Amino acid sequence: NAGVTQTPKFQVLKTGQSMTLQCAQDMNHEYMSWYRQDPGMGLRLIHYSVGAGITDQGEVPNGYNVSRSTTEDFPLRLLSAAPSQTSVYFCASSQLAGGRGTGELFFGEGSRLTVL
Amino acid sequence: GQQLNQSPQSMFIQEGEDVSMNCTSSSIFNTWLWYKQEPGEGPVLLIALYKAGELTSNGRLTAQFGITRKDSFLNISASIPSDVGIYFCAGRKGGSEKLVFGKGMKLTVNP
């Protein structure tokens, strides 16, 4: 069982370039999300999705786009990379918490992005 | 911005010592989760709490869901070198699917 798979693990971009971080999960989770991790800032939510065709913004959505065409995949797109987007990006998925409040988040191994 | 205040931000301890950390919020949460992250990896769930006042253990780890539903703490007893890493608290409000994280507590254990 692969869990949450992110690619690539490392990427270097020049300012203004575009790229897509891929995320796939094989646990049939409805909920998927992207976080960025910066020193001293913890994990900040970029975008999330509660199911195919549904996406919403988190705390820091500017400069990023997402789509959810299937349950399994949730790619994160940087249309015009900036140095401020240098970070480690984590994709995470869970079952929907619903009114029960459950839904433990499972993380991928991360994608380290450097924008020059 | 982030709604969880996690403290302390870092700790340096000797092997065998106990560690305590906590997380507070101005909002009520109905789920508290504690994660550990090791270098180069994604966070891994340690303990999940779903009920106010709940006290849950996982080996040497003990966590509690505060009765006000605005805080949670994690204790690690008799620390060992492999406890090093960053510990995150995370919370979910009622009616929301989003999980909000604290800024993390970096733990260093000296053998």
Side-chain angles (χ1 to χ4, degrees):
Chain A
N1 192 349
V4 179
T5 303
Q6 291 182 232
T7 55
K9 287 190 168 31
F10 300 93
Q11 183 72 50
V12 178
L13 291 178
K14 294 182 180 177
T15 297
Q17 286 185 317
S18 63
M19 79 156 299
T20 300
L21 299 177
Q22 302 291 345
C23 176
Q25 52 90 12
D26 61 1
M27 297 174 281
N28 202 30
H29 285 165
E30 302 95 334
Y31 181 83
M32 295 187 74
S33 54
W34 278 100
Y35 290 85
R36 60 177 289 173
Q37 183 176 21
D38 303 292
M41 299 299 293
L43 293 158
R44 292 183 292 171
L45 184 63
I46 304 172
H47 285 285
Y48 66 99
S49 168
V50 297
I54 306 169
T55 63
D56 208 343
Q57 297 181 349
E59 299 173 69
V60 288
N62 292 340
Y64 307 96
N65 284 345
V66 291
S67 59
R68 184 94 179 269
S69 57
T70 67
T71 300
E72 295 78 19
D73 301 299
F74 191 44
L76 179 71
R77 297 184 184 85
L78 286 71
L79 296 179
S80 179
S84 61
Q85 293 178 304
T86 294
S87 188
V88 181
Y89 292 85
F90 288 97
C91 180
S93 73
S94 71
Q95 294 177 343
L96 287 177
R100 304 178 305 280
T102 55
E104 298 162 9
L105 211 55
F106 294 84
F107 283 83
E109 294 186 340
S111 298
R112 183 176 294 275
L113 176 66
T114 301
V115 183
L116 303 175
Chain B
Q2 287 177 324
Q3 304 169 64
L4 297 184
N5 299 309
Q6 188 173 351
S7 63
Q9 293 182 355
S10 63
M11 290 191 73
F12 297 82
I13 61 172
Q14 294 297 124
E15 183 176 359
E17 290 182 346
D18 298 343
V19 177
S20 290
M21 62 195 86
N22 72 337
C23 211
T24 61
S25 171
S26 57
S27 303
I28 289 174
F29 287 81
N30 70 353
T31 298
W32 285 96
L33 305 175
W34 285 93
Y35 283 83
K36 179 188 177 187
Q37 183 183 29
E38 298 189 5
E41 298 181 7
V44 174
L45 183 69
L46 297 174
I47 292 180
L49 302 160
Y50 300 115
K51 203 167 159 183
E54 181 180 356
L55 184 72
T56 297
S57 293
N58 179 7
R60 293 178 295 105
L61 278 61
T62 302
Q64 185 159 28
F65 191 140
I67 57 173
T68 66
R69 298 168 66 191
K70 293 183 178 181
D71 61 350
S72 178
F73 72 76
L74 175 72
N75 285 344
I76 304 173
S77 62
S79 60
I80 59 178
S82 61
D83 289 335
V84 300
I86 302 176
Y87 291 79
F88 290 100
C89 63
R92 183 183 286 118
K93 294 181 181 179
S96 174
E97 296 293 335
K98 294 187 294 184
L99 201 59
V100 178
F101 282 79
K103 294 186 177 181
M105 195 284 286
K106 185 174 182 180
L107 179 64
T108 303
V109 180
N110 295 319

